[in-house]
Amino acid sequence: MIILTRLAGSRFAVNPDLLERVESTPDTVLTLLDGTKYVVAEPVEDVVARVTDYRATVIATARRLAEQQELASASPESASAAWPDDVTPQLAPAVPLRRRRRS
Protein backbone atom coordinates (compact mmCIF):
# COMPACT_ATOMS: atom_id res chain seq x y z
CA MET A 1 0.00 0.00 0.00
CA ILE A 2 1.13 3.54 -0.63
CA ILE A 3 0.03 6.48 1.52
CA LEU A 4 -1.34 9.55 -0.26
CA THR A 5 -3.06 12.80 0.76
CA ARG A 6 -6.47 13.99 -0.38
CA LEU A 7 -6.82 17.66 -1.26
CA ALA A 8 -8.72 18.19 2.02
CA GLY A 9 -5.64 16.98 3.91
CA SER A 10 -6.72 13.52 5.07
CA ARG A 11 -4.33 10.66 4.38
CA PHE A 12 -5.33 7.29 2.95
CA ALA A 13 -3.67 4.18 1.60
CA VAL A 14 -4.22 2.75 -1.85
CA ASN A 15 -3.13 -0.57 -3.31
CA PRO A 16 -0.93 0.32 -6.30
CA ASP A 17 -1.80 -3.00 -7.94
CA LEU A 18 -5.32 -1.61 -8.45
CA LEU A 19 -4.18 1.58 -10.20
CA GLU A 20 -5.18 1.82 -13.83
CA ARG A 21 -4.10 5.38 -14.52
CA VAL A 22 -2.58 8.47 -12.82
CA GLU A 23 -3.28 11.79 -14.53
CA SER A 24 -2.51 15.45 -13.97
CA THR A 25 -5.51 17.60 -14.92
CA PRO A 26 -3.97 19.91 -13.21
CA ASP A 27 -4.82 18.05 -9.96
CA THR A 28 -3.49 14.53 -9.72
CA VAL A 29 -6.30 12.02 -10.33
CA LEU A 30 -5.91 8.30 -9.59
CA THR A 31 -8.23 5.96 -11.50
CA LEU A 32 -8.58 2.43 -10.13
CA LEU A 33 -9.40 -0.66 -12.17
CA ASP A 34 -13.03 -0.54 -10.99
CA GLY A 35 -13.43 3.08 -12.16
CA THR A 36 -13.10 4.71 -8.72
CA LYS A 37 -11.31 8.06 -8.88
CA TYR A 38 -9.34 9.84 -6.19
CA VAL A 39 -7.91 13.36 -6.34
CA VAL A 40 -4.67 13.64 -4.40
CA ALA A 41 -2.33 16.45 -3.41
CA GLU A 42 0.88 14.71 -4.56
CA PRO A 43 2.14 15.38 -8.10
CA VAL A 44 2.13 12.53 -10.64
CA GLU A 45 5.90 12.09 -10.34
CA ASP A 46 5.63 11.48 -6.56
CA VAL A 47 2.85 8.92 -7.03
CA VAL A 48 4.90 7.08 -9.66
CA ALA A 49 7.97 7.14 -7.38
CA ARG A 50 5.93 5.69 -4.48
CA VAL A 51 4.55 2.93 -6.70
CA THR A 52 8.08 2.14 -7.91
CA ASP A 53 9.38 2.02 -4.32
CA TYR A 54 6.47 -0.21 -3.29
CA ARG A 55 7.13 -2.67 -6.12
CA ALA A 56 10.88 -2.70 -5.38
CA THR A 57 10.09 -3.50 -1.74
CA VAL A 58 7.81 -6.37 -2.79
CA ILE A 59 10.50 -7.83 -5.05
CA ALA A 60 13.21 -7.45 -2.38
CA THR A 61 10.98 -9.12 0.22
CA ALA A 62 10.17 -12.00 -2.13
CA ARG A 63 13.87 -12.52 -2.83
CA ARG A 64 14.70 -12.46 0.88
CA LEU A 65 11.95 -15.01 1.62
CA ALA A 66 13.17 -17.28 -1.18
CA GLU A 67 16.70 -17.14 0.23
CA GLN A 68 15.37 -17.99 3.70
CA GLN A 69 13.47 -20.96 2.26
CA GLU A 70 16.62 -22.19 0.52
CA LEU A 71 18.52 -21.98 3.81
CA ALA A 72 15.71 -23.75 5.65
CA SER A 73 15.58 -26.57 3.11
CA ALA A 74 19.35 -27.00 3.41
CA SER A 75 19.02 -27.58 7.18
CA PRO A 76 15.89 -29.63 8.03
CA GLU A 77 15.97 -28.75 11.75
CA SER A 78 15.45 -25.04 10.98
CA ALA A 79 12.66 -25.81 8.50
CA SER A 80 10.60 -27.56 11.17
CA ALA A 81 10.82 -24.46 13.37
CA ALA A 82 8.98 -22.31 10.80
CA TRP A 83 5.51 -23.55 11.88
CA PRO A 84 4.71 -25.49 15.03
CA ASP A 85 3.02 -28.85 14.46
CA ASP A 86 -0.28 -27.62 15.91
CA VAL A 87 -0.48 -24.53 13.64
CA THR A 88 -1.72 -24.70 10.04
CA PRO A 89 -1.39 -21.45 8.08
CA GLN A 90 -4.55 -20.54 6.17
CA LEU A 91 -5.11 -17.95 3.49
CA ALA A 92 -8.19 -15.79 3.26
CA PRO A 93 -10.42 -16.49 0.25
CA ALA A 94 -9.83 -14.34 -2.82
CA VAL A 95 -12.29 -11.51 -3.39
CA PRO A 96 -13.19 -10.87 -7.05
CA LEU A 97 -13.01 -7.31 -8.36
CA ARG A 98 -16.17 -5.89 -9.83
CA ARG A 99 -16.60 -2.70 -11.79
CA ARG A 100 -18.75 -0.11 -10.08
CA ARG A 101 -22.10 0.52 -11.66
CA ARG A 102 -22.58 4.12 -12.61
CA SER A 103 -26.01 5.60 -12.16
Side-chain angles (χ1 to χ4, degrees):
M1 301 288 268
I2 60 173
I3 310 266
L4 298 170
T5 310
R6 296 177 196 259
L7 290 180
S10 63
R11 297 180 67 191
F12 72 106
V14 67
N15 182 348
D17 294 330
L18 300 180
L19 286 174
E20 177 182 339
R21 180 173 56 242
V22 180
E23 318 175 64
S24 179
T25 62
D27 294 326
T28 304
V29 179
L30 309 178
T31 304
L32 303 186
L33 292 173
D34 67 353
T36 304
K37 294 189 179 211
Y38 295 103
V39 179
V40 297
E42 291 82 359
V44 171
E45 294 79 13
D46 286 358
V47 175
V48 170
R50 289 181 191 192
V51 170
T52 304
D53 290 345
Y54 166 80
R55 293 190 191 287
T57 302
V58 169
I59 291 169
T61 302
R63 179 175 290 167
R64 189 187 76 228
L65 290 173
E67 289 171 356
Q68 287 176 352
Q69 283 181 338
E70 287 176 10
L71 289 174
S73 65
S75 60
E77 64 277 354
S78 64
S80 63
W83 291 102
D85 292 334
D86 60 339
V87 175
T88 304
Q90 297 181 358
L91 298 176
V95 178
L97 294 176
R98 295 186 185 98
R99 292 187 77 74
R100 284 190 176 185
R101 293 184 182 170
R102 301 194 192 240
S103 45

